[in-house]
Amino acid sequence: GLKARQALMTLAGHPAPKRSWSKVYPYIEALYAEIRDCKMAGWPWNRIRSELQAIPGIPKFSEKVLIRHFRQVDGAWAKETGEEPLKARKRSPGKARRT
């Protein structure tokens, strides 16, 4: 127990490194309306991500991060406006993605 306590105390003495995905949130929040319009028009997440990644200055991020941040902003927007958030489409685990 003493080694574990010592290791945690050492860890607590240093700030945690910032994750790159946390730098992406402000972009997703600022572009929320446009991303929502793209989703409502039927565009897939991977295409939206690739369009955003082509813009200089936006940090690299995964599709999963884009979806997670979008859902957070969409949920907050739904609470503010009373409108429903976009519905998440579920994929069956055995289905392969189309490219």
Side-chain angles (χ1 to χ4, degrees), residues 25 71-81:
Y25 187 86
R71 297 277 180 241
Q72 288 174 342
V73 176
D74 197 37
W77 181 82
K79 284 181 184 178
E80 284 180 24
T81 62

Side-chain angles (χ1 to χ4, degrees), residues 6 11-12 21 24 32 46 81 89 91 93:
Q6 196 172 25
L11 186 64
W21 62 263
V24 175
Y32 167 74
N46 62 353
T81 62
R89 286 190 352 215
R91 280 195 189 123

Side-chain angles (χ1 to χ4, degrees), residues 6-28:
Q6 196 172 25
L8 291 174
M9 287 174 59
T10 301
L11 186 64
H14 303 287
K18 292 192 176 200
R19 292 184 173 193
S20 63
W21 62 263
S22 65
K23 296 174 188 173
V24 175
Y25 187 86
Y27 291 98
I28 305 306

